[in-house]
Amino acid sequence: MERAIELSRKNLGRPDDGGPFGAVIVKSGQIVGEGYNSVLRLKDPTCHAEVMAIRDACQNLGTHDLSDCEIYTSCEPCPMCLSAIYWSRMGTIYFGNSRKDAERIGFDDDFIYQQIPIDPLARKIPSYQCLKEEAGTIFDEWSRIENKMMY
């Protein structure tokens, strides 16, 4: 956790990188990936500390499966990062600041948490399903592949 906090401090002097967030991924007591918020520098809204740490760990370990790892992050993960952590299959999340602490300094993700359970058409950004049959043929083909690797 100390390294995650140290990484979050890195952006205090570099406001053009992103917010004060850092994260590390640990496997068997060793840091295997780390990241800090790089949204502004990389001009990519997905470059949150947790996502950057996941990318780093996957690259370093040569796998997409981090089920034998845990993440230490300076702040409770936002919905995007939380989803990425679940997709990576990590077993435990440790965080310093809460999402309410983040809200206090201007990083409010609560509206996203509120949008998730709403019907897609009623969300702030409405979602429309289209070309369902055409898209469905690809899923049908995928389901018939016998040697596919699931993740």
Side-chain angles (χ1 to χ4, degrees):
M1 182 59 88
E2 290 172 350
R3 178 62 179 154
I5 293 169
E6 181 182 330
L7 288 167
S8 75
R9 180 177 298 285
K10 219 174 179 175
N11 276 355
L12 290 179
R14 296 188 300 199
D16 57 337
D17 248 1
F21 304 97
V24 297
I25 302 200
V26 175
K27 178 180 179 179
S28 303
Q30 299 294 313
I31 293 175
V32 295
E34 59 181 41
Y36 57 91
N37 188 302
S38 302
V39 168
L40 299 176
R41 180 173 52 87
L42 297 177
K43 296 170 182 50
D44 181 343
T46 68
C47 290
H48 289 198
E50 296 90 340
V51 171
M52 299 298 281
I54 289 169
R55 291 173 181 165
D56 190 40
C58 288
Q59 185 72 37
N60 291 336
L61 297 173
T63 184
H64 66 278
D65 183 349
L66 301 177
S67 57
D68 52 357
C69 298
E70 50 199 19
I71 188 165
Y72 293 80
T73 179
S74 64
C75 186
E76 182 179 358
C78 74
M80 175 186 69
C81 293
L82 184 60
S83 296
I85 291 165
Y86 274 97
W87 278 114
S88 73
R89 311 273 192 261
M90 273 185 271
T92 309
I93 302 168
Y94 300 95
F95 62 90
N97 294 304
S98 72
R99 68 190 209 210
K100 294 297 182 190
D101 296 325
E103 180 181 350
R104 184 177 49 79
I105 65 164
F107 292 91
D108 184 7
D109 298 326
D110 195 53
F111 76 96
I112 299 172
Y113 282 102
Q114 292 174 16
Q115 291 288 302
I116 293 170
I118 297 173
D119 181 89
L121 286 173
R123 292 179 181 152
K124 183 175 180 182
I125 301 174
S127 300
Y128 302 94
Q129 188 172 20
C130 55
L131 297 179
K132 178 178 174 37
E133 288 182 31
E134 292 85 341
T137 62
I138 305 300
F139 277 14
D140 292 341
E141 290 176 34
W142 171 261
S143 69
R144 291 190 293 273
I145 297 172
E146 292 184 21
N147 61 343
K148 63 183 168 273
M149 181 181 284
M150 297 302 293
Y151 58 93

